Amino acid sequence: MNEKLEAARQLIEASGWLAPLLYLLLHLVRPFLFIPVLLTCLAGGYIFGTIYGSIYSIIGLTLTSVSFYVLIHYFPSFGRQLSQLKRKVIKSNHGMSTPQLMVIRLMPFVHFHFVSLYLLETTKNFREYTIRSIWFGIPPAIIYTAFGDIIHALPLTGTIVLMSLLIVCIMILPKKEEVITWREFFRPSSS
């Protein structure tokens, strides 16, 4: 098995500029093939190494987010259905902070476009959405790609510890916000 993987890796390395292009195309078709982001980035780390794999993954994740934006704008009814589904799944009305969303994007069992939908709903235009998508794509691209580069050394206990750490981070990084209505703010004091 290792010989086949090594032969495939050598073939990809020998293909020159075609390998990164095919990898970026994999990122674009990944959502339609139901391939998790984690596996795609792990493959990028295994094939291209941490540095180049991370760069290609950031570009690929950004292209995926941009294609999601375009899809939602060409099919607004699809966007409304996704928003309704999000509201059913997450019943709370409080927003999420940037660190929370970055940690959520790192979790392999949370759909990649959950954060993309949240960004779409909270940004004003395409430029702002794209910039935030790049920032939100950096943590999973670097971390998953680095794991792909050292995948043979990562034990199951390491994965469990990492997931536990990510869950703890979500719990301790809530968005601190309090909403005061107009009437409450201007209520006469009782003193």
Side-chain angles (χ1 to χ4, degrees), residues 86 90-97 100 118 170 173-177 179:
K86 184 188 88 164
I90 300 174
K91 300 190 190 270
S92 119
N93 287 335
H94 75 281
M96 288 187 232
S97 67
Q100 275 182 318
Y118 190 85
I170 283 183
L173 296 173
K175 185 174 184 179
K176 305 267 193 240
E177 186 175 297
V179 177

Side-chain angles (χ1 to χ4, degrees), residues 9-154:
R9 184 176 178 161
Q10 288 174 357
L11 176 68
I12 290 169
E13 288 175 353
S15 67
W17 61 270
L18 193 57
L21 180 66
L22 291 174
Y23 182 68
L24 293 177
L25 287 174
L26 175 63
H27 269 285
L28 287 173
V29 299
R30 175 197 57 74
F32 301 107
L33 300 175
F34 302 105
I35 300 172
V37 171
L38 171 68
L39 293 180
T40 309
C41 292
L42 286 173
Y46 185 79
I47 295 167
F48 301 110
T50 302
I51 304 281
Y52 288 113
S54 294
I55 292 168
Y56 298 147
S57 290
I58 291 168
I59 294 169
L61 293 175
T62 302
L63 290 174
T64 302
S65 294
V66 167
S67 65
F68 178 76
Y69 184 93
V70 170
L71 180 74
I72 294 297
H73 276 76
Y74 276 112
F75 300 103
S77 63
F78 179 63
R80 285 190 295 275
Q81 289 174 348
L82 286 177
S83 291
Q84 288 173 352
L85 179 64
K86 184 188 88 164
R87 282 190 292 276
K88 285 180 184 176
V89 172
I90 300 174
K91 300 190 190 270
S92 119
N93 287 335
H94 75 281
M96 288 187 232
S97 67
T98 299
Q100 275 182 318
L101 289 170
M102 286 185 166
V103 170
I104 287 173
R105 178 104 348 134
L106 283 171
M107 295 190 155
F109 55 84
V110 176
H111 197 280
F112 180 82
H113 289 305
F114 169 77
V115 175
S116 296
L117 180 63
Y118 190 85
L119 289 175
L120 187 69
E121 292 175 346
T122 58
T123 54
K124 296 178 186 94
N125 54 37
F126 177 74
R127 182 177 183 275
E128 183 182 352
Y129 173 83
T130 304
I131 290 170
R132 290 192 73 197
S133 292
I134 292 169
W135 283 111
F136 282 74
I138 290 173
I142 292 173
I143 291 173
Y144 293 158
T145 305
F147 283 146
D149 196 16
I150 57 169
I151 196 152
H152 58 279
L154 185 66

